[in-house]
Amino acid sequence: MTTPTTIAGQLNAQGLRIAIVATRFNDFIVDRLVGGAVDYLERHGLPADNMTLVRIPGAFELPLVCKKLAASKKYDGIVALGAVIRGATPHFDYVCAEASKGIAHVTLEYDLPVGFGLLTCDSIEQAIERAGSKGGNKGVEAAAAMLETIRVLEQL
Ligand code: INI
């Protein structure tokens, strides 16, 4: 069998400029995601000076803020972090749908990797599990996916 030409991203963040956008809503969860993303990027060679942290109200605001950051052309990638936790009304569904659609739109419109680190959970327990306990840390995963995608796109 012949080996296909393979393009894969090196997980080296040196020289990049990264924006992290994080919601204040559910900050006790989101702060854990921010910590995970910052730690991951630092351990992959990105100095804190090359990271900008933007605090925003809630997940519904993520697309607009990501769009402005992308349009500024100052960043090689964005990590979008937040946590939406289901309540008694359909509000959850509207916030999740608009945030995920909007972020997908930004990444395609600007050809800019955006790590999707928005937890969409049925309970606080599910969110805690995904913010640095038995479900891992979705902030780390979002930062890792963004970094790998940046390095893949450089080769395409
Ligand atoms: N925003 C969140 O980030 N998480 C939530 O769980 C949440 N809930 O459940 O309401 C939430 N709502 C606020 C929303 O994102 C906007 O900030 C608000 O509607 C103002 O535009």
Side-chain angles (χ1 to χ4, degrees), residues 23 25-26 57-61 83-85 91 95:
T23 65
F25 211 107
N26 293 323
F60 191 80
E61 284 71 39
V84 194
I85 300 173
H91 188 73
V95 173

Side-chain angles (χ1 to χ4, degrees), residues 23-26 30 56-62 81-87 89 91-92 95-96 99 118-119 121:
T23 65
R24 293 187 193 286
F25 211 107
N26 293 323
V30 178
I56 65 167
F60 191 80
E61 284 71 39
L62 280 170
L81 301 175
V84 194
I85 300 173
R86 194 182 287 279
T89 71
H91 188 73
F92 171 93
V95 173
C96 293
L118 178 64
L119 297 180
C121 298

Side-chain angles (χ1 to χ4, degrees), residues 8-9 12 14 17-18 32 43 53 60 65-66 74 91-92 102 105 113 116 119-120 125-126 139 141 146-147 152:
N12 173 2
Q14 274 171 11
R17 290 171 312 164
I18 301 298
R32 307 294 302 265
R43 284 188 293 109
L53 175 63
F60 191 80
V65 176
C66 287
K74 290 182 186 165
H91 188 73
F92 171 93
H105 190 77
F116 184 67
L119 297 180
T120 55
E125 289 72 24
Q126 283 184 353
E141 288 179 28
M146 175 210 63
L147 175 57
V152 167

